[in-house]
Amino acid sequence: MAELILGGQKSGKSRRAELLARDWLAGGAARRAWLIATAPGDDEEMRARIARHRSDRAARVPGLATVEEPLRLAETIAALSAPHTLLVVDCLTLWLTNRLMPLAGPACTAEALEAAQQALEAAVCRASGPLVLVGNEIGLGVIPMGCEVRAFVDALGQLNQRMAACCARVTLMAAGLPLVLKDETA
């Protein structure tokens, strides 16, 4: 089963994903869980944030292993997915940012982005084990002024729709509370 967890910044998305991983791991000694982290530590503040997240996560879910992969998300999901292994991707928004607004090098082309999204969609649909995708919902506010930011908001909305179509469950987080938008697991 795949679940997409969406919400704003500090809405409780990552915490919910961690709780799902903790519950999964408690289901048996043969179970494994991986966090696929997409955030690059490109500046001091982000490196400190990543270190804090690692420490907090280790305390909350000690059995959750971490692999950092800012770009090759589809390949990483395909490589790690197994029936006894839960994968948590945190987060889709940063993965998209890494592709469209990289700090080093040019942004990917529209064709390259489409190919990457198709590969991600296929990896999510083919995952042989449970999968939790975390992403931001940023399209609920005012329309941004700059064309680049508007294009990013559009691209993220489209990515979220694609991932929601692949997932049996979609949850929107607000104020730490889950609101189930889709549940095909029953």
Side-chain angles (χ1 to χ4, degrees):
M1 180 193 98
E3 179 170 349
L4 174 62
I5 302 173
L6 296 171
Q9 190 168 333
K10 296 296 180 190
S11 63
K13 305 177 304 291
S14 295
R15 179 70 54 99
R16 176 169 173 77
E18 289 172 3
L19 291 174
L20 292 172
R22 185 194 66 196
D23 292 350
W24 169 261
L25 289 167
R31 291 185 172 186
R32 302 287 174 256
W34 282 93
L35 173 85
I36 304 171
T38 61
D42 292 327
D43 60 52
E44 193 56 41
E45 185 274 336
M46 192 55 140
R47 284 188 289 277
R49 184 180 287 250
I50 290 169
R52 186 179 72 250
H53 281 273
R54 280 184 193 141
S55 174
D56 292 349
R57 208 170 33 248
R60 286 191 296 264
V61 191
L64 183 61
T66 301
V67 60
E68 296 183 11
E69 183 48 64
L71 292 171
R72 296 174 37 89
L73 190 51
E75 297 90 333
T76 305
I77 290 170
L80 295 176
S81 184
H84 64 282
T85 303
L86 172 86
L87 302 180
V88 175
V89 174
D90 199 354
C91 79
L92 294 172
T93 310
L94 287 173
W95 174 79
L96 185 64
T97 301
N98 297 336
R99 294 204 163 264
L100 291 179
M101 296 181 266
L103 291 177
C108 69
T109 65
E111 295 79 17
L113 179 61
E114 177 59 25
Q117 288 187 21
Q118 285 179 2
L120 179 57
E121 199 171 2
V124 169
C125 290
R126 282 193 293 241
S128 62
L131 180 61
V132 177
L133 305 170
V134 176
N136 290 72
E137 176 51 72
I138 64 172
L140 297 173
V142 297
I143 297 171
M145 292 292 289
C147 65
E148 292 88 1
V149 179
R150 282 192 303 275
F152 181 81
V153 172
D154 290 349
L156 183 58
Q158 292 164 350
L159 175 62
N160 287 343
Q161 288 184 49
R162 287 174 94 153
M163 294 301 102
C166 292
C167 292
R169 186 175 177 98
V170 179
T171 303
L172 178 67
M173 296 297 297
L177 301 172
L179 175 63
V180 177
L181 303 177
K182 175 183 174 182
D183 191 352
E184 297 176 348
T185 63

